[in-house]
Amino acid sequence: MTKGTVAIVGAGLVGCVAALAFEKKGYKVLLFESRPDCRSPDQIAKYSFRSINLAVSARGIETLRFIDDKLAEKVLANVLPMHARMVHDLKGNQVSQDYGLNGEAINSIDRAYLNRLLLDEVDIKNNIKTYYNHKLVASDFEAEGGRVMLTFEHEGKPIIFEVDSLVGADGAYSTTRKHLQRNVRMNFSQDYIDHAYLELYIPPNPASVSNEDKWSISPNHLHIWPRHAFMLIALANLDGSFTSTMFAPWKCFEELDSDDKIIGFFEQNFPDALKLMGKDTILNSFHQNPRGSLVSTKCNPYNLAGKCIIIGDAAHSMVPFYGQGMNCGFEDVRVLINILEKNEFNIQQTYDEYSMTRNKDLLSIIDLSMNNYTEMRHSVVSNTYLLRKKIDGILARVFKNKWLPLYTMVSFRPDIMYSEAVRRETRQKAIVRSIVNLVQNSAIIGLVLIASRLTRSTIISKFLSKWFKR
Ligand SMILES: Cc1cc2nc3c(=O)[nH]c(=O)nc-3n(C[C@H](O)[C@H](O)[C@H](O)COP(=O)(O)OP(=O)(O)OC[C@H]3O[C@@H](n4cnc5c(N)ncnc54)[C@H](O)[C@@H]3O)c2cc1C
């Protein structure tokens, strides 16, 4: 006996995880994907020239473990842990900044590999049936018997399925969300930032003689070239290469409209990266790879009774600067299933409760992601930021669990929800600000006192006595 039939639209990272989680709890799952199977030879050949990676961290891993410990281990067997960011300055100097207090790491993983692995896992389950080349085009939430009728386009023809509930995991431009919006008074906002991204590539070390030296820079760092208005990042791949991404204003990309300008730009701003990539590789990437836009979407509620709910990027796409988009989407699944169990599998109650309780966390991580762009491209080299990081480190060691840097809470502590992390950080920030002000004021008063002693100035003494009377 199954608990009912759930259609999941989108066999991307979040859709696959959702399919596995619902199946585990006794549902029959129909998983629909508009594209062909990404494991088919022609798809592998089509994308073989591009290796795109992302960072999987504690929230994502916690969800994989929630589904199956062995699945989490399979994923972790193919990651490169990154314990710190490596900041590259204009002269090519590299400075390492730890991510965690105790050597914790975020993990670089090949996105395509992860999707294939999840699909392999999906294939093993008898109660999940996957339909590729099926694009959701219409949803009727008032079908007979309280069921949901879905129309998919397959090889140019419509195909209809009836299910008990629809889970939309169909990404930032979600069709499910659009269908939901026609039936629910959903608040919705979408913000494009004025910056775009372009994927670049650092080849394996050409001078490599062993497995250990196949990377030309440290594979256990997330490399950043912060240049205030724009930046470059790079994450290692298992084959010795790095996937690098340039983030910059659209205008900046538009102005780089000739090979000379592109190379000149790299010579001026990223000379060491230019050496690592090579001129031809850079030009190739600029000519072949698309510029991607960066969008944030907020909405609420996420559901229509027990008939439909959206999760992952469909519900909350965010700019990628906290490396949380997928991790948060995985967490959506864990949170949803936990509520489902708590409500003894009453789907309507579960979806309603999820919409009510999850919203504050999603808004928090969307905003944190936006703010982190300034941190990555600008603040990481500022003295104020470095001082705050030092103070945070000291206080965290003294007060243990009571004081945690924001990055630690977001990336390494899935037991602390995003909104709680923001609440704690706001309080911590206020305390640090008071400490810094106190130190600054004491330093100023100290200096003035010394000066007054040296000069025996009555004016300064008068000023000081006034200051203390205030
Ligand atoms: C440059 C960049 C770097 C990033 N780095 C990180 C990172 O380091 N860490 C991290 O956690 N996140 C990162 N992210 C975010 C992450 O990529 C997304 O959050 C994640 O892919 C969302 O997964 P999803 O399954 O919700 O959506 P998607 O991955 O978009 O999958 C949606 C699926 O639905 C299918 N689909 C769409 N419409 C239909 C339809 N009508 N019918 C049927 N199927 C449909 C699509 O084909 C697709 O397969 C990054 C994003 C970008 C842009």
Side-chain angles (χ1 to χ4, degrees):
M1 266 285 284
T2 66
K3 291 198 173 76
T5 304
V6 174
I8 294 176
V9 175
L13 302 170
V14 176
C16 288
V17 165
L20 292 168
F22 272 96
E23 190 273 345
K24 191 177 175 191
K25 296 298 163 193
Y27 289 87
K28 181 173 178 201
V29 176
L30 310 183
L31 177 60
F32 297 96
E33 170 55 50
S34 56
R35 295 184 202 160
D37 186 343
C38 62
R39 296 163 301 175
S40 60
D42 55 330
Q43 290 298 303
I44 292 177
K46 194 169 164 187
Y47 295 106
S48 62
F49 64 95
R50 277 173 83 181
S51 154
I52 301 174
N53 47 24
L54 40 68
V56 59
S57 54
R59 285 171 205 270
I61 296 164
E62 180 83 359
T63 302
L64 296 172
R65 287 201 194 288
F66 172 78
I67 292 167
D68 181 359
D69 263 335
K70 283 195 193 121
L71 172 63
E73 292 315 321
K74 272 189 214 165
V75 170
L76 288 174
N78 285 283
V79 302
L80 282 159
M82 300 176 286
H83 302 278
R85 53 167 77 114
M86 186 71 91
V87 178
H88 294 243
D89 74 11
L90 266 176
K91 290 185 185 139
N93 301 315
Q94 300 182 31
V95 176
S96 175
Q97 296 177 354
D98 283 354
Y99 276 131
L101 299 163
N102 306 302
E104 298 96 325
I106 57 174
N107 305 284
S108 172
I109 186 161
D110 183 329
R111 172 193 285 267
Y113 165 81
L114 180 58
N115 212 157
R116 286 181 203 132
L117 190 140
L118 291 171
L119 285 170
D120 287 348
E121 205 68 19
V122 158
D123 281 354
I124 303 170
K125 310 290 177 193
N126 288 333
N127 262 336
I128 308 180
K129 187 152 176 32
T130 310
Y131 299 85
Y132 296 99
N133 301 304
H134 278 67
K135 182 179 175 188
L136 178 72
V137 289
S139 312
D140 176 1
F141 299 113
E142 303 295 335
E144 243 173 67
R147 302 198 89 205
V148 179
M149 197 164 81
L150 303 172
T151 309
F152 292 87
E153 194 184 281
H154 175 62
E155 296 176 349
K157 290 190 199 111
I159 300 192
I160 291 176
F161 288 82
E162 271 197 10
V163 295
D164 295 305
S165 190
L166 162 64
V167 177
D170 46 349
Y173 301 98
S174 168
T175 303
T176 315
R177 188 180 63 228
K178 284 176 199 132
H179 295 173
L180 203 53
Q181 278 174 297
R182 287 192 206 126
N183 292 274
V184 176
R185 281 178 284 117
M186 179 193 280
N187 289 320
F188 173 74
S189 68
Q190 181 171 283
D191 284 300
Y192 282 97
I193 62 168
D194 190 30
H195 291 229
Y197 71 93
L198 171 72
E199 266 139 27
L200 301 164
Y201 178 73
I202 299 176
N205 179 8
S208 166
V209 285
S210 74
N211 214 22
E212 278 68 48
D213 67 357
K214 61 184 171 181
W215 295 277
S216 40
I217 43 179
S218 160
N220 299 115
H221 282 82
L222 191 154
H223 294 266
I224 311 186
W225 289 257
R227 298 294 180 263
H228 306 291
F230 47 84
M231 71 173 181
L232 196 66
I233 66 166
L235 279 73
N237 297 310
L238 288 168
D239 67 357
S241 68
F242 285 78
T243 305
S244 171
T245 313
M246 178 174 149
F247 296 93
W250 280 98
K251 195 166 180 300
C252 172
F253 281 115
E254 280 154 20
E255 282 168 3
L256 298 176
D257 56 5
S258 71
D259 290 359
D260 285 347
K261 284 188 195 164
I262 295 167
I263 297 304
F265 180 82
F266 270 74
E267 280 168 349
Q268 196 180 340
N269 297 294
F270 309 119
D272 58 336
L274 172 64
K275 269 191 209 134
L276 293 168
M277 291 175 186
K279 287 183 185 174
D280 289 347
T281 315
I282 293 178
L283 292 176
N284 222 18
S285 303
F286 265 80
H287 293 155
Q288 302 214 331
N289 295 347
R291 278 64 173 153
S293 50
L294 295 164
V295 67
S296 255
T297 35
K298 293 179 178 173
C299 61
N300 197 36
Y302 304 105
N303 72 305
L304 167 64
K307 295 183 176 186
C308 179
I309 193 159
I310 45 172
I311 56 172
D313 274 19
H316 50 71
S317 70
M318 61 193 78
V319 291
F321 307 113
Y322 229 113
Q324 283 295 308
M326 172 198 65
N327 288 291
C328 173
F330 283 10
E331 188 179 72
D332 290 349
V333 175
R334 184 165 49 87
V335 170
L336 185 67
I337 298 293
N338 275 333
I339 301 177
L340 188 61
E341 281 194 304
K342 191 192 84 182
N343 290 328
E344 295 174 348
F345 302 96
N346 179 327
I347 286 236
Q348 173 158 353
Q349 211 175 323
T350 299
Y351 287 5
D352 285 344
E353 185 177 332
Y354 176 90
S355 273
M356 293 254 300
T357 54
R358 185 73 175 142
N359 184 243
K360 58 181 185 316
D361 292 315
L362 299 179
L363 296 185
S364 297
I365 188 58
I366 291 169
D367 291 342
L368 283 176
S369 303
M370 195 66 95
N371 297 341
N372 218 42
Y373 189 24
T374 318
E375 175 162 327
M376 285 178 83
R377 71 187 150 98
H378 172 73
S379 313
V380 287
V381 284
S382 93
N383 289 337
T384 322
Y385 171 85
L386 295 171
L387 175 67
R388 167 77 211 265
K389 212 170 145 56
K390 276 233 160 69
I391 296 175
D392 251 354
I394 295 167
L395 293 173
R397 277 185 185 91
V398 174
F399 296 110
K400 298 276 181 295
N401 248 340
K402 291 206 171 64
W403 188 287
L404 290 170
L406 179 62
Y407 194 89
T408 295
M409 290 190 275
V410 170
S411 300
F412 306 129
R413 292 291 301 264
D415 55 322
I416 300 176
M417 302 310 277
Y418 292 121
S419 59
E420 171 63 6
V422 169
R423 196 190 62 76
R424 288 175 67 162
E425 168 64 3
T426 309
R427 204 188 47 187
Q428 291 178 174
K429 220 175 183 172
I431 296 172
V432 170
R433 207 175 294 129
S434 307
I435 296 174
V436 171
N437 283 347
L438 195 76
V439 171
Q440 276 173 348
N441 285 345
S442 313
I444 293 168
I445 292 169
L447 281 174
V448 176
L449 273 173
I450 293 166
S452 86
R453 282 222 157 171
L454 288 177
T455 59
R456 296 176 195 283
S457 157
T458 47
I459 303 167
I460 291 174
S461 309
K462 273 183 195 161
F463 169 77
L464 278 176
S465 56
K466 264 191 190 166
W467 174 278
F468 283 115
K469 270 182 206 152
R470 277 200 313 181

